[in-house]
Amino acid sequence: MSGSGSWAVRSEGKADGIVLAIDFPGTGRREAGFTDLAEQLDIPYALWETLPPPFAHATMLTGADWVDRWVAGVEASGRPVRAVMAFCAASPYAAALAHRIGALQGETPDTVFFDPDIPEEFFLYWQYQQIMERFLPDLSAEETAAARQRGEQAREHAEDLTALGTELIRLFHEYGEPACRRAGLDDERTAEFLGGFTTYVSFVCGSSQIAAQEPEMLVASWSTATAVTSASSGKAGKLVAKDITFPDITHVDLLATTEVAAAVSALLK
């Protein structure tokens, strides 16, 4: 682990440079992650992946807060960054981080997106629903239905993604705390579980904020980036300088596939 807790080393490298990967790794997620990709990469550089703050003390960070945290970890290392990668809705972060690091080191690192996307209200609501139903089994059927309905109402009335995220956090705590008690979790484990959701929502909302607040930077980054896309990639993957497509690979398997690792290794050598 490196970078004062903001980065995890997923693979060591022989060369001095590092490749940064932005994602929100989580237990129980269906999608393969950068740990899976790191096992198959053949590159001379170390691969670092973002780490969230401790869940038990979660707060709602802004997009700028997230980027500042990661930049501080990289600066502390003193190592040059060769590329910045991101998975799915984290793509705006990769654009912002590459821009910031380019200003610091005098050379902008390459940017690689995997199924790039910019988070929207439906995406966050869908994640809320999935997490609520998968990880709160001690809720009654009536409580689950009510949580789903109230989440949908929040989506319909929210002014923007951050407002929606704030309301979904409130609902998740309202239903999640008693569910954790029924499951026998103590105060510490309950705080960590609920904080994990808060931190994830903060991560998603921050990405949306970056896209909304820095559109020119985002467009400039997208126009020079490479996208690695799966069968279910959206339109955002077609707006880059180079699109490496894998039409037979699903979104959930994109970071765990040998062919993808080989293509990325060729890009980063």
Side-chain angles (χ1 to χ4, degrees):
M1 191 175 296
S2 185
S4 302
S6 57
W7 295 96
V9 178
R10 297 307 185 199
S11 64
E12 299 285 355
K14 297 178 181 179
D16 185 43
I18 53 177
V19 174
L20 305 177
I22 306 174
D23 196 7
F24 193 92
T27 303
R29 67 178 249 173
R30 295 185 175 93
E31 298 89 352
F34 283 108
T35 300
D36 303 287
L37 181 66
E39 293 175 352
Q40 303 185 71
L41 283 180
D42 179 17
I43 60 174
Y45 312 115
L47 177 64
W48 289 11
E49 183 179 10
T50 48
L51 282 177
F55 290 160
H57 306 289
T59 58
M60 192 69 168
L61 302 177
T62 66
D65 291 336
W66 282 102
V67 175
D68 287 346
R69 185 172 186 272
W70 299 328
V71 169
V74 173
E75 279 192 287
S77 76
R79 299 177 67 177
V81 177
R82 304 303 181 187
V84 181
M85 307 190 296
F87 181 66
C88 195
S91 299
Y93 282 130
L97 188 59
H99 179 74
R100 285 280 300 277
I101 290 173
L104 288 172
Q105 66 183 24
E107 181 180 1
T108 302
D110 294 334
T111 308
V112 182
F113 302 136
F114 295 85
D115 276 353
D117 204 357
I118 296 173
E120 298 179 353
E121 282 78 4
F122 175 78
F123 172 83
L124 188 57
Y125 165 72
W126 180 82
Q127 292 285 5
Y128 158 83
Q129 180 181 315
Q130 293 295 306
I131 294 170
M132 182 79 71
E133 295 180 0
R134 289 181 64 202
F135 296 106
L136 293 178
D138 290 278
L139 290 178
S140 68
E142 291 77 12
E143 288 171 322
T144 299
R148 185 188 305 117
Q149 181 182 23
R150 292 175 69 187
E152 176 62 29
Q153 291 171 345
R155 183 174 76 90
E156 292 174 353
H157 295 100
E159 296 180 357
D160 56 28
L161 194 68
T162 299
L164 173 60
T166 301
E167 180 62 12
L168 292 182
I169 288 171
R170 189 188 70 77
L171 291 173
F172 192 84
H173 281 242
E174 178 181 334
Y175 288 97
E177 186 167 354
C180 288
R181 303 299 180 198
R182 293 172 203 165
L185 300 186
D186 60 20
D187 290 346
E188 182 178 354
R189 293 180 66 193
T190 296
E192 185 170 348
F193 177 79
L194 298 177
F197 182 76
T198 298
T199 305
Y200 173 72
V201 171
S202 169
F203 180 87
V204 174
C205 291
S207 181
S208 176
Q209 291 165 15
I210 293 289
Q213 295 167 4
E214 303 187 57
E216 293 182 1
M217 177 277 298
L218 200 70
V219 170
S221 176
W222 236 266
S223 67
T224 60
T226 297
V228 180
T229 56
S230 71
S232 54
S233 177
K235 293 184 292 184
K238 308 303 178 185
L239 303 176
V240 296
K242 182 178 182 180
D243 181 14
I244 303 175
T245 61
F246 293 91
D248 297 325
I249 296 175
T250 64
H251 176 71
V252 298
D253 294 328
L254 188 61
L255 294 178
T257 307
T258 302
E259 296 90 335
V260 171
V264 176
S265 296
L267 277 175
L268 299 179
K269 283 185 176 179

